[in-house]
């Protein structure tokens, strides 16, 4: 708005929740910059901002183009490590979404080098996580372990318990996926302890879910259920019914995997009752979908049909024709066998 010349009248777009306003403002700023002969550093900043907004909006190809221009403009004037690191990080994240992992990795690694030159811990940590993400995607787990340890050291120095927990969880994941047979449980347990000390419920749940994955891989049903139950309790205490329902679904899936169908049904039914309190109808729909599936697996076809019918009613009330169509299909396979 400050960039519009005095006296100029322009119709403004409606304020869209998906970033339409931001895109309009950025495009208008770029138009004014170009017309006014703005310097390359200013244009680089505008292009970087545009790339971030387009990425958030899901315009991936456009985000990549803007991020590349931001990098080129920034390099042409040696505008500084921070702007280049941020632009390269946005470029890397966009490339990942198109599965162009090697290109994404090159951009992320260069971004990390620049961020470390700049010396700002928050920026360095953010970029390092981008490097970690693409390193996992390219299956270089030894390198992922190294990056996670570097991140853990920096978080420890800055006394960031939540950040240290995240780093330890990444280390455990890399150890788990590596062929080195390194036990991931000590790092994962440390991640959980740090998360609990930090008071971050999201970090605590993430650590518990990681531990449940490791226990599931080891075919330890009791430990898997124990960790998922702890995650569910964290959500219950936080009053987050939507996430508590998701935790119950995970419990149902685990019981189902170990053929403990009575407990799978119990978790699914509890999730259904709790889903009535959730603010989103999608939670209720998903709970009914899971419940119908468990009944069908137990060959309780009448109850499977009943849950599917209820799902159809909820979808119809919410104006969800796709969900309604799925509900019509759900009970069909058991009856066709």
């Amino acid at each position: 708005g400050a960039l519009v010349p005095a006296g100029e009248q322009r119709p403004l777009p409606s304020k869209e929740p998906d970033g339409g306003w931001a895109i309009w403002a950025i495009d208008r700023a770029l138009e004014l910059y170009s017309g006014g002969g703005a310097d390359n550093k200013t244009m680089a900043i505008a292009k970087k901002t545009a790339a971030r907004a387009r990425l958030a909006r899901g315009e991936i190809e456009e985000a990549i183009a803007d991020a590349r221009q931001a990098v080129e403009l920034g390099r042409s004037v040696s505008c500084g490590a921070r702007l280049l690191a941020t632009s390269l990080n946005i470029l890397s994240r966009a490339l990942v979404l198109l599965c162009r992992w090697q290109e994404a990795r090159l951009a992320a690694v260069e971004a990390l080098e620049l961020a470390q030159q700049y010396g700002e811990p928050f920026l360095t940590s953010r970029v390092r996580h981008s490097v970690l993400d693409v390193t996992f995607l390219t299956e270089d787990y030894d390198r992922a372990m190294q990056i996670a340890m570097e991140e853990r050291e920096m978080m420890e120095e800055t006394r960031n318990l939540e950040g240290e927990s995240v780093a330890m969880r990444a280390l455990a994941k890399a150890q788990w996926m590596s062929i080195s047979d390194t036990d991931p449980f000590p790092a994962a347990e440390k991640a959980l302890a740090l998360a609990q000390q930090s008071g971050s419920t999201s970090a605590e749940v993430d650590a518990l879910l990681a531990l449940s994955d490791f226990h599931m891989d080891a075919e330890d049903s009791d430990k898997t259920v124990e960790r998922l139950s702890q995650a569910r309790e964290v959500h219950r205490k936080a009053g987050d019914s939507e996430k508590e329902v998701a935790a119950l679904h995970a419990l149902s899936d685990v019981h189902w995997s170990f053929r403990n169908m009575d407990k799978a049904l119990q978790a699914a039914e509890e999730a259904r009752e709790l889903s009535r309190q959730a603010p989103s109808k999608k939670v209720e729909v998903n709970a009914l979908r899971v419940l119908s599936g468990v009944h069908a697996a137990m060959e309780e076809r009448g109850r499977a049909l009943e849950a599917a019918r209820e799902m159809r009613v909820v979808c119809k009330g919410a104006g969800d024709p796709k969900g309604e169509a799925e509900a019509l299909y759900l009970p069909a396979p058991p009856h066709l066998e």
Side-chain angles (χ1 to χ4, degrees):
L3 290 167
V4 178
E8 181 176 345
Q9 297 298 317
R10 289 244 174 191
L12 296 179
S14 60
K15 190 171 183 181
E16 300 174 40
D18 62 352
W21 182 283
I23 293 295
W24 176 86
I26 291 163
D27 284 343
R28 179 66 182 128
L30 287 168
E31 179 187 335
L32 290 164
Y33 281 148
S34 300
D39 59 63
N40 282 357
K41 181 177 180 180
T42 302
M43 288 296 292
I45 294 169
K47 285 290 183 182
K48 177 209 71 176
T49 308
R52 180 185 285 124
R54 294 190 197 284
L55 182 61
R57 191 176 162 87
E59 299 173 358
I60 310 304
E61 293 285 2
E62 293 85 350
I64 290 171
D66 281 335
R68 288 194 192 281
Q69 288 181 52
V71 172
E72 290 168 7
L73 288 164
R75 282 179 175 149
S76 71
V77 292
S78 302
C79 65
R82 192 181 197 286
L83 176 58
L84 281 173
T86 306
S87 300
L88 283 161
N89 191 44
I90 294 168
L91 176 60
S92 175
R93 287 162 51 204
L95 288 165
V96 163
L97 293 174
L98 295 184
C99 301
R100 290 158 63 176
W101 296 333
Q102 293 300 338
E103 291 177 75
R105 183 175 185 176
L106 289 173
V109 167
E110 185 179 356
L112 181 57
E113 291 172 358
L114 289 163
Q116 288 171 329
Q117 286 177 30
Y118 187 70
E120 182 185 297
F122 176 76
L123 176 63
T124 302
S125 176
R126 186 173 61 189
V127 176
R128 189 180 280 124
H129 279 290
S130 292
V131 178
L132 257 177
D133 289 343
V134 75
T135 302
F136 276 117
L137 289 169
T138 53
E139 300 182 358
D140 188 351
Y141 303 125
D142 290 338
R143 175 64 179 146
M145 282 189 268
Q146 181 184 345
I147 296 168
M149 286 301 296
E150 291 171 2
E151 176 70 3
R152 187 267 173 103
E153 287 170 9
M154 190 176 79
M155 292 296 102
E156 192 174 28
E157 287 173 6
T158 56
R159 299 181 181 180
N160 184 333
L161 293 174
E162 183 178 356
E164 193 178 348
S165 171
V166 172
M168 290 303 292
R169 192 175 75 248
L171 175 61
K173 179 181 175 182
Q175 291 171 336
W176 178 44
M177 302 183 80
S178 171
I179 60 172
S180 63
D181 292 329
T182 307
D183 183 0
F185 284 102
E189 293 285 1
K190 180 66 174 176
L192 176 59
L194 287 163
Q196 289 169 334
Q197 290 174 43
S198 75
S200 168
T201 55
S202 61
E204 183 177 0
V205 168
D206 286 342
L208 286 165
L209 293 179
L211 278 163
S212 73
D213 284 342
F214 303 154
H215 287 304
M216 185 74 177
D217 188 55
E219 298 184 359
D220 187 336
S221 61
D222 291 340
K223 283 290 186 183
T224 305
V225 168
E226 179 186 339
R227 293 307 188 184
L228 287 175
S229 298
Q230 286 177 292
R232 184 249 174 125
E233 183 63 14
V234 172
H235 290 315
R236 189 192 66 77
K237 287 181 178 178
D240 192 332
S241 58
E242 187 169 338
K243 289 182 178 177
E244 189 180 351
V245 168
L248 282 164
H249 287 164
L251 277 166
S252 181
D253 286 344
V254 168
H255 288 308
W256 190 340
S257 296
F258 289 104
R259 309 310 301 168
N260 191 338
M261 297 309 295
D262 288 339
K263 288 189 176 180
L265 178 59
Q266 181 182 342
E269 288 177 334
E270 197 170 348
R272 168 64 189 118
E273 286 305 310
L274 188 61
S275 72
R276 299 178 195 275
Q277 304 172 22
S280 171
K281 285 295 179 185
K282 289 182 179 179
V283 178
E284 191 172 359
V285 167
N286 196 39
L288 287 163
R289 181 189 293 113
V290 171
L291 182 60
S292 180
V294 174
H295 279 306
M298 297 175 72
E299 298 188 1
E300 296 176 348
R301 298 178 181 180
R303 291 186 175 183
L305 181 60
E306 182 183 338
R309 282 175 175 159
E310 193 175 352
M311 175 181 162
R312 183 191 178 193
V313 170
V314 174
C315 289
K316 193 170 184 178
D320 180 7
K322 186 177 178 181
E324 192 178 350
E326 183 185 355
L328 286 165
Y329 168 78
L330 275 179
H335 290 280
L336 292 175
E337 286 178 356

